[in-house]
Amino acid sequence: MEETYIPNRFGRFLLMALEQSLGTPGFQAVLGRAGLRHLSVYPADNLERKFPVGLIPRLMTALEEMYGVEKGRDLAFQTGRVCFHLGISDFGLLADAVSLVFPLLPSPVRARVGIEIVAEVFNRFTDGNIQVRKEGDHFLWVVERCGICQGRTSSSPCCYLLTGLLHETVHWAIGRDSVHVTEVACAAAGGPHCAMEIDLG
Ligand SMILES: [Zn+2]
């Protein structure tokens, strides 16, 4: 598969979030397991597309190998939540504007705005090709080329980094934690793509 790249800053946030979630010793151990010790020096904080997407599935695999599948996926979910908070600070003005207008809007509209903002950022800076649509009373997030699981094979959906990121996005947007995000299709588990069903609860 041809190597694709995401902005250094995305890789930087991922590594920072991973270190926060695992603690520094756990983080260093996962890097070692993945054969990626050089990443303990974070990439530069810029938008140059120099961070190989293929490193992400290697990190996710190492997480599951080190902590076991269940705990490893919990930690990936937690890492995704932290990624959202690191990322949103980049959109300070937007976040301020949103927080002024949001209380006036119903939850499904707020959720949709939050999800669309994240999808737009990813579509601008990565090759995933994400589409968001409403289906009945939930949202569906479909990513055609998922960078989290690319090249992996798994007996069950494994993109918990994204599940956590979307969970926290909607939590932030609607101001309550009732949201459920479920990966209903995963390319690593034989699906045609990866898809997240987002239920506001
Ligand atoms: Zn995936």
Side-chain angles (χ1 to χ4, degrees):
M1 191 181 295
E2 193 186 334
E3 186 64 276
T4 56
Y5 296 84
I6 55 174
N8 281 331
R9 182 174 294 160
F10 289 25
R12 181 184 176 88
F13 285 170
L14 169 60
L15 295 167
M16 289 170 72
L18 202 54
E19 184 162 9
Q20 276 187 38
S21 302
L22 307 183
T24 299
F27 175 65
Q28 297 291 349
V30 164
L31 292 184
R33 175 107 201 174
L36 298 171
R37 274 189 212 284
H38 67 282
L39 293 182
S40 62
V41 179
Y42 295 150
D45 189 9
N46 63 43
L47 288 172
E48 278 183 59
R49 286 176 72 158
K50 293 263 177 73
F51 190 86
V53 174
L55 302 188
I56 301 173
R58 283 173 65 181
L59 290 167
M60 296 298 107
T61 302
L63 252 188
E64 293 183 15
E65 287 173 354
M66 278 214 31
Y67 291 91
V69 171
E70 193 175 338
K71 173 81 172 156
R73 289 177 177 183
D74 281 351
L75 289 166
F77 181 87
Q78 176 58 28
T79 301
R81 297 185 75 164
V82 176
C83 282
F84 171 80
H85 289 288
L86 294 172
I88 198 68
S89 62
D90 255 23
F91 297 93
L93 273 178
L94 173 68
D96 288 348
V98 159
S99 68
L100 288 175
V101 177
F102 262 21
L104 309 173
L105 300 171
S107 291
V109 177
R110 285 189 275 171
R112 173 124 207 180
V113 170
I115 295 165
E116 295 276 9
I117 289 170
V118 175
E120 193 184 313
V121 169
F122 282 143
N123 280 336
R124 191 183 312 168
F125 293 111
T126 78
D127 302 313
N129 190 19
I130 294 152
Q131 288 169 35
V132 177
R133 55 180 184 263
K134 193 159 189 328
E135 284 197 348
D137 55 2
H138 61 259
F139 296 101
L140 197 65
W141 166 292
V142 178
V143 51
E144 198 179 307
R145 289 178 297 276
C146 177
I148 295 170
C149 68
Q150 75 173 29
R152 291 192 69 186
T153 309
S154 170
S155 58
S156 55
C158 62
C159 303
Y160 282 79
L161 186 64
L162 179 59
T163 315
L165 180 89
L166 291 177
H167 179 102
E168 202 56 16
T169 300
V170 177
H171 178 197
W172 170 82
I174 70 177
R176 54 188 164 81
D177 208 8
S178 60
V179 56
H180 288 284
V181 183
T182 311
E183 188 170 18
V184 292
C186 177
H193 48 232
C194 296
M196 297 286 174
E197 191 175 289
I198 301 162
D199 191 331
L200 303 191

